[in-house]
Amino acid sequence: MAVSMRLTRVGGKKDPQWRVVVADRRSPRDGRFIEVLGRYNPQTEPSTIVLKEDRIRHWLERGAQPSEPVQKLLKTQGI
């Protein structure tokens, strides 16, 4: 099973907020996921980024591939 770390949209219309999740690569963007690893709100100033560093490292060690937006968030947080 190919596993990826990616963003899932939550929040209301014209109020996007995102969760960082681990999901099977084949599942849809807002579909089934394995675990929630954090959240990202780009509408606050500055943007709110809350991540579970220990769980992210756990999944990276097991071969989960982060998407490009998640890679940028991880780099911003220094993970």
Side-chain angles (χ1 to χ4, degrees):
M1 176 168 80
V3 177
S4 66
M5 295 168 51
R6 62 185 185 200
L7 296 176
T8 298
R9 186 179 165 136
V10 293
K13 184 177 181 182
K14 297 187 181 181
D15 181 29
Q17 296 177 21
W18 303 87
R19 283 188 190 143
V20 180
V21 299
V22 174
D24 185 340
R25 223 176 259 283
R26 298 169 293 182
S27 64
R29 181 191 75 181
D30 296 336
R32 183 184 229 167
F33 58 88
I34 300 169
E35 183 178 355
V36 176
L37 300 177
R39 57 188 163 85
Y40 168 58
N41 186 354
Q43 297 199 318
T44 59
E45 191 56 46
S47 296
T48 305
I49 303 171
V50 178
L51 300 173
K52 299 176 186 175
E53 185 174 343
D54 59 329
R55 295 304 296 166
I56 289 172
R57 291 191 191 280
H58 167 83
W59 282 105
L60 289 174
E61 289 170 2
R62 280 159 184 69
Q65 297 295 315
S67 65
E68 287 185 29
V70 172
Q71 284 178 352
K72 290 178 184 178
L73 290 176
L74 296 177
K75 190 173 184 179
T76 301
Q77 294 298 315
I79 300 175

